[in-house]
Amino acid sequence: MQVLVTGGAGFIGSVIVEELARAGHTPVVYDSLVKGHVSALQPDVPMVNGDMRDTDRLKAALRSYEIEAVIHMAGLIEVGLSVTNPDRFFENNVGGSMSVLRAILDTGVKKLVFSSTAAVYGDPVSLPITEDAPLQPTNPYGESKLMVERILGWAAPAHGLTCTALRYFNAAGATSRNGEMHDPETHLIPLVLKAAQDDQAVTIFGTDYPTNDGTAVRDYVHVMDLASAHLLALARVEAGLRIYNVGTGTGYSVQQVVETTERVTGKPLAIDKRPRRPGDQVATVASSDRIRAELGWKPRFGDLHSIIASAWDWFRDHPHGYAG
Ligand SMILES: NC(=O)c1ccc[n+]([C@@H]2O[C@H](COP(=O)([O-])OP(=O)(O)OC[C@H]3O[C@@H](n4cnc5c(N)ncnc54)[C@H](O)[C@@H]3O)[C@@H](O)[C@H]2O)c1
């Protein structure tokens, strides 16, 4: 299948492009490089440098590469920035998604896979979180993703589109080629690995949560397992929007991430304990029953050690990230 990946120069998108090519699909990247990396791109994969809000450019790309499906991953992801600049977030994430929708409708593309997030749930009412749990985002980032889900929920049946929204939990890990290097980095695993690399202390926000060791719990999913969820979603044919959580169903605490990193890297880590940050959830863990039952998804790299080890290998091979 000819597949356009918006945001394909980013962390998760670049791995999806790798996996699409490996599975025999023909990926094309569409990215403005506002955050992505040129060196994450594979030389043999075409790249259109454009903003997703430029609908005409998108339509031209869809037509010239005879695209059959779009994996729509482009978006701004920094939660803190979404709180201070909600206008930018809605403009980019919702406005950009409207442009993608207009472009696929005008060019006859019938399949769309959308990157959503566990942030649509906000503070979970119970664990594990199922797709039917209350949707109460606590920041504009989560709200922007929920708005797009809702738009697709109306547009898909109206236009006979096969839409799949994947609510990722915490993406992590790496392939030998592509790893996690956001700017600024706000995600725990790359921050802990950077601390190990630079022999610096790890900052832990909140050590008095009602969890086994007092630190917050998250569901980390290997980026290659995330990629496989997208490939399975591409095989869907029914019209309408279907929503799936993508998480392993196992939660790990910040403390467990630090201890596993110490084992993987062989470096003891000093801890800088700080108070809880407003807006941080105590624990988020996915129920992945729906995606396992309906799409046959199964994580292959579900354990924390494998996830951190793959990220550490990438860190050591790329000590300056994508800069060299
Ligand atoms: N990383 C996670 O743990 C996580 C969790 C849940 C959901 N997601 C979602 O997955 C997607 C990818 O996340 P990521 O971690 O790879 O982020 P990333 O920042 O590495 O990648 C996002 C890509 O989108 C591109 N982009 C942003 N705005 C654009 C625009 N207007 N036009 C064209 N390109 C644009 C950026 O240049 C970048 O390459 C995002 O939509 C994010 O919300 C990520």
Side-chain angles (χ1 to χ4, degrees):
M1 210 184 288
Q2 311 277 117
V3 185
L4 186 99
V5 184
T6 73
F11 164 46
I12 305 170
S14 60
V15 174
I16 288 180
V17 167
E18 280 186 59
E19 292 299 295
L20 283 169
R22 191 167 295 132
H25 295 290
T26 308
V28 175
V29 170
Y30 189 100
D31 201 300
S32 65
L33 297 175
V34 63
K35 292 287 175 182
H37 306 276
V38 176
S39 47
L41 299 165
Q42 288 173 236
D44 52 340
V45 173
M47 146 82 179
V48 180
N49 187 339
D51 195 294
M52 64 174 154
R53 291 165 292 182
D54 184 344
T55 316
D56 288 340
R57 196 165 175 75
L58 260 177
K59 286 203 282 194
L62 295 174
R63 287 200 178 102
S64 68
Y65 290 102
E66 298 178 351
I67 295 297
E68 300 163 83
V70 171
I71 296 182
H72 172 35
M73 319 215 30
L76 297 176
I77 70 161
E78 292 151 47
V79 172
L81 187 67
S82 84
V83 175
T84 53
N85 293 279
D87 47 319
R88 272 193 62 196
F89 261 70
F90 291 119
E91 193 179 59
N92 195 69
N93 291 4
V94 183
S97 298
M98 282 306 299
S99 170
V100 171
L101 179 60
R102 171 54 46 217
I104 66 171
L105 290 175
D106 287 358
T107 55
V109 175
K110 289 288 185 195
K111 225 172 246 200
L112 179 73
V113 183
F114 171 61
S115 300
S116 190
T117 169
V120 297
Y121 298 114
D123 293 314
V125 178
S126 61
L127 296 178
I129 306 169
T130 66
E131 289 83 351
D132 300 322
L135 300 169
Q136 302 161 332
T138 54
N139 51 61
Y141 167 66
E143 187 75 47
S144 73
K145 295 287 182 174
L146 182 55
M147 287 167 90
V148 176
E149 282 190 6
R150 292 211 158 121
I151 291 165
L152 295 178
W154 292 104
H159 297 288
L161 304 177
T162 303
C163 290
T164 311
L166 299 176
R167 292 178 179 158
Y168 315 160
F169 280 63
N170 290 63
T175 65
S176 54
R177 199 190 149 83
N178 289 304
E180 188 167 11
M181 180 77 31
H182 296 110
D183 180 20
E185 189 56 81
T186 55
H187 292 167
L188 180 68
I189 291 177
L191 288 173
V192 177
L193 290 174
K194 184 94 179 69
Q197 194 177 42
D198 297 348
D199 290 320
Q200 287 188 344
V202 176
T203 305
I204 299 186
F205 295 98
T207 50
D208 58 350
Y209 283 112
T211 59
N212 283 347
D213 58 28
T215 64
V217 168
R218 296 289 178 270
D219 184 333
Y220 295 95
V221 55
H222 196 290
V223 64
M224 283 177 70
D225 286 328
L226 266 183
S228 77
H230 291 74
L231 266 70
L232 292 166
L234 282 180
R236 286 193 58 238
V237 288
E238 324 84 79
L241 171 69
R242 196 76 183 129
I243 296 174
Y244 299 99
N245 286 340
V246 196
T248 64
T250 304
Y252 293 102
S253 70
V254 175
Q255 183 66 37
Q256 285 176 297
V257 168
V258 171
E259 287 166 5
T260 308
T261 303
E262 289 181 322
R263 280 196 292 280
V264 166
T265 62
K267 296 183 178 211
L269 286 162
I271 304 295
D272 175 16
K273 292 184 186 178
R274 300 272 181 93
R276 298 180 188 190
R277 278 183 307 200
D280 275 352
Q281 275 85 39
V282 178
T284 52
V285 179
S287 160
S288 52
D289 291 353
R290 184 187 282 180
I291 191 167
R292 288 174 195 256
E294 294 186 13
L295 300 189
W297 180 77
K298 200 167 172 251
R300 285 177 302 156
F301 311 100
D303 67 292
L304 190 61
H305 194 277
S306 307
I307 290 173
I308 294 180
S310 69
W312 180 239
D313 286 346
W314 187 83
F315 252 72
R316 278 191 307 186
D317 289 348
H318 302 79
H320 307 293
Y322 283 105

